[in-house]
Amino acid sequence: MDTKQTDQTDDNRENLVMPLFEIVVYPKSRAKFLADKNTGEILLNELKNATFTYAIGLTVKGGTKPSDLSEDKLYKTGNLLKVTFVQPADGGYLVAAKAVQRVEAVSLYRKDELFYAAYEPVPDLPDLDEDTQAGMMENVKKTVHEISNRFQGSEQFTRPIDKMDSIDQIMGFIMPYIPIKLEEKQALLEIVSVRERYLTFLGILMKQKENINIQMEMAKKVTEKVNRSNREAMLREQMKLIQEELNESDDSVSGEGGYRERIEKSGMPDEVRKKALSELKKLETGGPHNHEAPVIRNYLDLLVDLSWVTEEIKSIDIVEARSVLENNHNGLEKVKERIIQHLAVMKLKQEKQGSILLFVGPPGTGKTSLGKSIADALGRKYVRASLGGVKDEAEIRGHRRTYVSALPGRIIQSIRKAGTKNPVFILDEIDKLSASYSGDPASALLEVLDPEQNSSFSDHYLEVPYDLSEVLFIATANSLATIPPPLLDRMELIEISGYTKNEKFAIAKDHLLPETLEEHGLDADKLKIDDEALKQIIEKYTREAGVRQLKKQLAKTARFVSEKIVSGTAELPYVVKPDMLKETLGKELIRQEEARKENIPGVVTGLAWTPVGGDILFIEGTFMPGTGKLTLTGQLGDVMKESAQISLSLVRSRLANPANPANSFNFTTSDIHIHVPSGATPKDGPSAGVTLFTALTSLITGKAVDPKLAMTGEITLSGAVMPVGGIKEKILAAHRAGIKKVILPKENERDLEDVPEDVRNELKFVPVETIEEVLKEALDIELPKQVLSFAGNGFGATQNL
């Protein structure tokens, strides 16, 4: 490289480029920086033959690594550097140089891992007179002194500046110490206008001055606050020692009973204990007037009140558990057997809860009281949370403590109330949850009711995980329709159906009547209800699957008798007999559907399921001159309407054939009307298919169906009879109405096991698979089975087989 031994170089000479990392050099300033090994060796060799040498200093763009260095990573505006000293250093060479003038690299290229460039000078635009420049010089020095005065020992820094006679020198001296972005420093170098460059430099100084003032002020405030807190803490500690010496300890300082002692005795896990001690420290350092003190106290009270250690669990006695369930609940034999099985599994699994139970059934059937009986059988605490109407996720998971009046969720609140880690927890009315803009509480329950997750349940208020795996959760619901499938999947379903008349009678005698007498200040020596009167109350004054309305009627009877006794108009014991019910309870409330003594063609008795048990219904049909239209009335749902259409199609395909006995009926000139009383009650479902088909057949054949015969079942267009639900409730309704024979689908024959034995013995059951069997049993009509043959591209004639 050809280098002149003068202080200046000719224009457009080619020189070695020295990449400058994280530094911008300004004209008329001196700088030291590291050079790579190759560049340093070239400069060192040239200095051996001369007093100095030249190189072009170009700043490397921010974020560039030496290994990624390329021509486009270098700023094109830099300085011509007069190199005066080169010395080996760690991994390279230390170079000392003076920036002679600002230049721009016009042709930059790389050769043998080194960069070379031709340059052109970039002179200043002298747009600032000497007086203005002198005034600006004073402002710069004044600002530098104001900044330096905020730090001790700054005289060594400002003394060289006072001797400088140009703003460029000051700029080159100060800019390496100012914490601004590399891009801003490079932009300052590239400003050609002297006035603009000096004003920009002064603006940078003023901004740094303001930033330092703000930081100093904040540091002062923080220091004052820390000193004040330390002073208060020291004074409180001294006050505590003085009170202890005088035996005048203040609970407001130490906490009720001493939070620290209660935390240590609580048996919390290490993670929870650290959290509690951290909050206690905030309480102690915050002082009695700290506005957060009540919030922290409430939180600490919750932590120390919760049970963190499992108490000694009573061994499960299956015999005792069975006895408790039998004594507390009449009927529900399969349900009680399923509960005993569940408890047996818990015993074998060393008291682990196993699956989570879900009791589903009509209101008043004892779902919640079954949970109480399970708690009694296990010897555990019993807690209950009603979820009906809950539509906020925070009701389950709690509110974060940043909210005013924040509270833990119902789960943690109930566990706190129970005072134990393993209670029997009833989640009542889980099907009544609803979502809103505040979240979906059903989704929040997914973690609670998942045995794989609830060992570390997270409550927003509690902020630390709580183990719910030892809690025995039992949920109750009236219907499965509104329970989300993911939530339903986490629970084991146990269906509870309605009670029979005999079961209701036993429940009333053994449980409801004694409870009612006690609640009204009566006993068996003051009020007795005749057994026949009790049966009539069940049949004629209540209509429900459970016994809640029955208890209300017994309470009404007790109030009536109480008034008689208090007024002195009753002889003791007061015995309620059947003929006294009208005076006691008023007119009969329930009209029971009963089997008719005689049926006319077109009327058939069907069986239906309702939320309060089973019922019978009469399907009536008639026809009139018309155009073949089918009319349906009685508030029928879409599914039931479809069953009627299927029935009509089956009748027309099977009975409108010339080979059949009903071929005299003309479907094209007659309208058919089907009605299902009671018209004000909505009805739907596929189980009336068999009944609708039989009613239409009876109508067009003119044959009447036995009034003591009832039927249920879904039909298909091919004539198959499909299984339906609610068989137990439907059979009980048939028995109650005086039905003697029941036609039901063949596949439902196994459901007869659920029907009480005394009811099964009084009824005859006819299982069927096809409509041909239905007509044979109901109307004594024999129909041949039919198939469709195919001819050409269309359907051929219907053939009888």
Side-chain angles (χ1 to χ4, degrees):
M1 183 181 71
D2 185 13
T3 307
K4 295 181 65 175
Q5 307 302 314
T6 62
D7 283 348
Q8 296 180 358
T9 61
D10 298 332
D11 294 349
N12 291 324
R13 292 294 301 275
E14 183 178 275
N15 274 313
L16 177 68
V17 173
M18 185 177 299
L20 306 177
F21 288 89
E22 299 299 329
I23 184 174
V24 177
V25 179
Y26 295 91
K28 301 182 182 180
S29 66
R30 297 180 181 274
K32 291 182 180 181
F33 35 80
L34 287 173
D36 62 84
K37 185 177 180 182
N38 293 336
T39 305
E41 287 178 353
I42 291 177
L43 294 175
L44 184 60
N45 290 332
E46 292 187 356
L47 281 178
K48 289 179 180 179
N49 302 322
T51 306
F52 55 84
T53 186
Y54 288 93
I56 301 173
L58 297 179
T59 299
V60 180
K61 295 181 181 179
T64 303
K65 298 179 181 179
S67 58
D68 299 333
L69 194 59
S70 60
E71 291 87 337
D72 60 343
K73 299 293 185 180
L74 296 169
Y75 288 108
K76 298 303 183 289
T77 300
N79 286 275
L80 181 64
L81 302 177
K82 180 180 178 182
V83 180
T84 58
F85 178 78
V86 179
Q87 175 182 316
D90 294 339
Y93 287 83
L94 179 64
V95 178
K98 178 181 179 181
V100 178
Q101 68 180 102
R102 182 175 53 215
V103 298
E104 181 177 358
V106 293
S107 61
L108 183 64
Y109 66 95
R110 191 170 189 172
K111 180 181 179 182
D112 299 331
E113 299 300 325
L114 297 174
F115 291 93
Y116 297 90
Y119 65 87
E120 291 181 353
V122 183
D124 287 340
L125 177 63
D127 54 356
L128 192 65
D129 57 63
E130 293 183 1
D131 293 338
T132 305
Q133 187 169 345
M136 191 172 291
M137 181 83 166
E138 290 298 323
N139 285 333
V140 168
K141 289 185 177 181
K142 180 181 177 182
T143 303
V144 171
H145 276 280
E146 289 176 351
I147 295 174
S148 301
N149 290 339
R150 304 303 300 265
F151 305 95
Q152 294 182 354
S154 60
E155 294 82 3
Q156 295 181 356
F157 181 80
T158 57
R159 192 177 299 121
I161 295 176
D162 291 336
K163 297 178 181 179
M164 295 179 183
D165 56 3
S166 75
I167 296 179
D168 287 316
Q169 286 181 312
I170 298 174
M171 187 186 307
F173 184 77
I174 290 179
M175 284 303 293
Y177 302 102
I178 295 181
I180 62 175
K181 295 181 180 179
L182 186 68
E183 293 84 350
E184 296 182 53
K185 294 182 179 182
Q186 177 68 24
L188 181 64
L189 171 66
E190 295 177 359
I191 297 175
V192 176
S193 168
V194 174
R195 178 186 181 87
E196 184 180 351
R197 185 166 69 249
Y198 289 175
L199 287 174
T200 302
F201 175 57
L202 184 58
I204 291 173
L205 290 178
M206 296 298 291
K207 184 177 180 180
Q208 293 303 311
K209 172 187 169 183
E210 186 65 25
N211 289 341
I212 291 173
N213 288 339
I214 293 174
Q215 292 176 10
M216 296 293 286
E217 185 177 350
M218 293 296 294
K220 181 180 179 182
K221 290 182 178 180
V222 170
T223 302
E224 290 176 353
K225 184 175 181 179
V226 171
N227 291 338
R228 184 169 63 252
S229 298
N230 292 338
R231 180 172 177 272
E232 290 177 355
M234 182 182 66
L235 291 175
R236 277 195 299 275
E237 191 64 27
Q238 291 176 352
M239 182 174 65
K240 181 179 177 181
L241 293 174
I242 294 171
Q243 288 175 337
E244 289 178 356
E245 290 293 329
L246 297 175
N247 293 323
E248 297 178 353
S249 61
D250 184 4
D251 284 346
S252 66
V253 175
S254 62
E256 185 180 351
Y259 277 122
R260 192 175 299 277
E261 181 180 357
R262 295 168 68 190
I263 291 171
E264 296 296 339
K265 290 182 177 180
S266 66
M268 299 176 182
D270 290 340
E271 179 185 357
V272 182
R273 180 174 169 274
K274 290 178 182 178
K275 177 68 175 177
L277 293 176
S278 174
E279 294 295 322
L280 180 60
K281 185 176 181 181
K282 292 180 185 178
L283 182 64
E284 291 173 344
T285 58
H289 302 295
N290 181 12
H291 69 281
E292 293 185 355
V295 177
I296 298 176
R297 288 184 184 279
N298 290 337
Y299 181 67
L300 290 175
D301 287 338
L302 174 64
L303 288 182
V304 297
D305 286 347
L306 284 173
S307 177
W308 298 97
V309 180
T310 304
E311 300 176 0
E312 183 178 353
I313 303 176
K314 173 186 174 184
S315 179
I316 300 176
D317 188 334
I318 298 298
V319 176
E320 180 184 352
R322 191 185 299 274
S323 176
V324 170
L325 291 175
E326 290 293 343
N327 292 335
N328 293 350
H329 300 274
N330 289 87
L332 305 178
E333 299 303 327
K334 289 199 172 184
V335 175
K336 290 186 288 188
E337 188 61 32
R338 176 62 190 87
I339 293 172
I340 292 297
Q341 292 171 3
H342 185 79
L343 299 183
V345 172
M346 290 176 61
K347 183 177 180 67
L348 291 176
K349 293 179 67 176
Q350 300 178 351
E351 319 302 338
K352 294 296 182 182
Q353 72 170 74
S355 57
I356 294 165
L357 301 180
L358 170 62
F359 294 152
V360 177
T365 50
K367 299 183 294 296
T368 304
S369 60
L370 271 172
K372 183 71 170 65
S373 297
I374 292 174
D376 293 340
L378 293 175
R380 295 195 191 182
K381 293 289 184 65
Y382 166 85
V383 288
R384 171 182 168 273
S386 178
L387 303 181
V390 172
K391 57 182 180 180
D392 188 350
E393 179 189 359
E395 293 280 347
I396 306 298
R397 286 194 177 276
H399 302 80
R400 299 193 184 278
R401 286 195 292 143
T402 52
Y403 292 98
V404 177
S405 303
L407 289 171
R410 296 195 181 195
I411 304 299
I412 294 299
Q413 288 186 48
S414 299
I415 296 294
R416 179 186 190 180
K417 180 181 177 181
T420 180
K421 196 179 178 184
N422 61 342
V424 174
F425 199 132
I426 305 298
L427 296 170
D428 225 353
E429 309 291 352
I430 199 171
D431 57 327
K432 307 299 190 303
L433 292 170
S434 59
S436 70
Y437 67 92
S438 301
D440 185 2
S443 299
L445 279 176
L446 294 177
E447 181 183 4
V448 177
L449 299 181
D450 191 339
E452 302 297 328
Q453 300 181 37
N454 61 12
S455 59
S456 57
F457 172 67
S458 176
D459 183 277
H460 292 157
Y461 183 90
L462 193 61
E463 294 182 349
V464 291
Y466 189 83
D467 185 5
L468 297 176
S469 62
E470 297 179 34
V471 179
L472 175 55
F473 285 104
I474 299 175
T476 71
N478 298 129
S479 171
L480 299 177
T482 56
I483 302 178
L487 184 59
L488 186 61
D489 185 59
R490 282 164 167 77
M491 300 178 284
E492 184 164 348
L493 177 64
I494 297 180
E495 294 189 8
I496 300 177
S497 58
Y499 296 108
T500 65
K501 289 187 294 184
N502 292 339
E503 289 172 343
K504 288 183 181 180
F505 178 78
I507 293 171
K509 289 277 289 185
D510 298 340
H511 302 285
L512 301 184
L513 188 55
E515 290 177 9
T516 302
L517 293 177
E518 183 180 354
E519 291 172 359
H520 291 79
L522 302 172
D523 55 38
D525 295 331
K526 295 178 182 179
L527 171 62
K528 293 183 178 180
I529 300 180
D530 186 75
D531 287 354
E532 190 60 35
L534 189 56
K535 291 178 181 179
Q536 288 199 21
I537 293 175
I538 294 171
E539 294 178 6
K540 298 181 179 181
Y541 289 88
T542 64
R543 184 178 183 179
E544 56 177 341
V547 292
R548 190 167 288 140
Q549 292 298 324
L550 175 56
K551 186 174 182 181
K552 290 181 180 179
Q553 295 299 334
L554 293 177
K556 187 175 180 180
T557 304
R559 290 194 299 271
F560 177 85
V561 175
S562 297
E563 189 271 333
K564 293 282 187 183
I565 294 174
V566 172
S567 62
T569 60
E571 294 184 8
L572 300 181
Y574 190 95
V575 181
V576 178
K577 297 182 178 181
D579 57 355
M580 301 167 59
L581 291 179
K582 186 172 183 180
E583 178 188 5
T584 306
L585 300 177
K587 63 181 180 179
E588 296 177 2
L589 302 177
I590 305 302
R591 174 184 172 273
Q592 297 285 356
E593 291 284 2
E594 297 182 358
R596 297 180 179 180
K597 296 180 180 179
E598 184 178 351
N599 270 351
I600 62 174
V603 178
V604 181
T605 305
L607 299 176
W609 177 92
T610 70
V612 295
D615 201 356
I616 67 170
L617 52 82
F618 300 102
I619 294 183
E620 303 173 344
T622 187
F623 64 90
M624 64 213 77
T627 58
K629 183 174 66 172
L630 174 65
T631 302
L632 303 171
T633 56
Q635 283 231 53
L636 308 186
D638 291 339
V639 177
M640 199 165 180
K641 289 178 180 178
E642 290 175 359
S643 295
Q645 292 287 351
I646 294 171
S647 299
L648 180 59
S649 297
L650 270 175
V651 170
R652 294 184 65 177
S653 65
R654 300 298 174 91
L655 299 179
N657 191 292
N660 290 322
N663 59 1
S664 59
F665 187 87
N666 194 330
F667 287 93
T668 60
T669 60
S670 300
D671 287 346
I672 297 177
H673 185 166
I674 293 178
H675 177 66
V676 184
S678 302
T681 305
K683 310 165 191 72
D684 202 5
S687 62
V690 166
T691 315
L692 287 164
F693 174 77
T694 305
L696 285 171
T697 306
S698 171
L699 177 65
I700 67 173
T701 60
K703 289 189 174 185
V705 178
D706 184 359
K708 300 297 184 181
L709 171 67
M711 58 189 70
T712 184
E714 179 182 358
I715 61 171
T716 68
L717 202 55
S718 62
V721 178
M722 305 294 290
V724 293
I727 292 298
K728 177 183 177 182
E729 289 79 7
K730 293 176 181 179
I731 298 301
L732 293 177
H735 178 262
R736 185 169 57 244
I739 298 295
K740 298 302 180 183
K741 184 190 295 185
V742 177
I743 296 176
L744 74 163
K746 178 79 171 177
E747 293 186 41
N748 283 126
E749 201 171 8
R750 58 190 176 185
D751 296 322
L752 295 177
E753 297 177 4
D754 300 333
V755 180
E757 186 176 358
D758 58 332
V759 175
R760 291 202 308 266
N761 293 336
E762 296 183 24
L763 291 173
K764 179 182 178 182
F765 300 99
V766 181
V768 297
E769 294 181 307
T770 64
I771 59 168
E772 287 82 8
E773 297 175 56
V774 174
L775 294 186
K776 174 63 177 173
E777 186 66 35
L779 296 170
D780 195 24
I781 296 177
E782 292 193 18
L783 286 182
K785 292 186 178 180
Q786 298 182 345
V787 297
L788 292 176
S789 64
F790 296 88
N793 293 328
F795 290 106
T798 302
Q799 296 181 345
N800 298 332
L801 299 180

